[in-house]
Amino acid sequence: MWNVLLSFSGLVALIQLLFLPFFPESPPYLLLQKEDKAGCLKAMKQLWGEGNYHTDFDDLMKEKAITKGTKIMNVLEVLRERSVYPQLCTMLLLLLSLQLCGLKIFETANLQESIIPYVSLGVSVSELISIIFCSSIIDRFGRRMLLCGGYLLMALMLVLLETSLLLSDRFLWLRYCSVILIFLFIIAYGLGP
């Protein structure tokens, strides 16, 4: 019944995709990144109801003043920063552990057992690539667009993956499409959600 479980995660992503456009951007993002004071206050009212948010707004303004001189680092600069090595090692261990996941899907796709470890390693590499790519584009596009786009792509990939797995006995080339769709699903997940 793993395919039902896989479909369930697609259903959750679809529900989130449907409701996400009705939520405002996060107030800190609007104020600190977009420098939209009116949008920040509007988002606070929309998220938390009517009230006086001047204290929260003032805290965000203080944070903005503190971080004004702070340089935003790109991916390579973060990788060179020694203070984040423990977090990077933890993230890399999690990514590398992905090679142990998804074996059942690859077996269901009737791939040769000798190929499955390499495909699992490819999933880990896909995750790493998507995280690096996402961290470099999130400031340009914002969280909302990446979340919506990621969930939309994930839902599409899950539908195509389920279809390719169901038809893989009839059409042998769909087995390899399943692997490609899993890579694309991981990349879509890393880009947004």
Side-chain angles (χ1 to χ4, degrees):
M1 299 295 288
W2 66 266
N3 53 347
V4 174
L5 185 62
L6 183 66
S7 300
F8 180 74
S9 64
L11 177 66
V12 172
L14 182 63
I15 290 170
Q16 290 178 346
L17 179 65
L18 292 174
F19 288 104
L20 191 61
F22 299 107
F23 289 98
E25 288 284 356
S26 87
Y29 172 76
L30 289 171
L31 184 64
L32 300 175
Q33 299 290 328
K34 296 287 187 175
E35 298 184 6
D36 183 5
K37 293 180 183 179
C40 176
L41 286 171
K42 182 181 175 187
M44 286 178 170
K45 288 180 183 177
Q46 193 174 358
L47 287 170
W48 302 317
E50 291 297 324
N52 187 358
Y53 301 110
H54 291 292
T55 305
D56 297 316
F57 186 77
D58 290 341
D59 289 342
L60 287 175
M61 289 300 288
K62 288 176 188 172
E63 183 179 340
K64 182 179 179 182
I66 290 171
T67 60
K68 190 170 190 168
T70 305
K71 181 185 175 209
I72 297 175
M73 298 168 59
N74 64 29
V75 176
L76 290 176
E77 291 170 334
V78 170
L79 291 175
R80 290 185 195 129
E81 181 64 38
R82 288 195 171 280
S83 64
V84 297
Y85 279 1
Q87 295 89 341
L88 287 174
C89 289
T90 303
M91 183 181 74
L92 285 174
L93 284 173
L94 288 172
L95 291 175
L96 292 175
S97 69
L98 278 176
Q99 63 183 313
L100 303 175
C101 302
L103 296 177
K104 181 66 176 171
I105 293 175
F106 301 139
E107 289 172 1
T108 303
N110 294 324
L111 295 174
Q112 296 173 357
E113 278 193 41
S114 61
I115 296 175
I116 291 176
Y118 299 107
V119 174
S120 296
L121 184 61
V123 168
S124 298
V125 171
S126 298
E127 179 75 19
L128 183 62
I129 289 169
S130 66
I131 288 172
I132 291 171
F133 185 65
C134 177
S135 64
S136 62
I137 65 170
I138 194 166
D139 289 334
R140 180 181 297 168
F141 295 106
R143 291 182 190 139
R144 173 180 282 191
M145 180 176 278
L146 291 180
L147 279 172
C148 287
Y151 281 129
L152 185 62
L153 287 173
M154 285 169 58
L156 176 66
M157 294 305 137
L158 286 174
V159 168
L160 293 173
L161 178 61
E162 186 70 25
T163 305
S164 69
L165 288 174
L166 289 172
L167 297 175
S168 66
D169 290 337
R170 290 188 205 164
F171 306 102
L172 295 178
W173 58 271
L174 281 177
R175 296 175 183 178
Y176 301 102
C177 285
S178 300
V179 173
I180 293 169
L181 289 169
I182 290 170
F183 288 171
L184 293 175
F185 177 82
I186 296 295
I187 290 171
Y189 175 77
L191 286 178

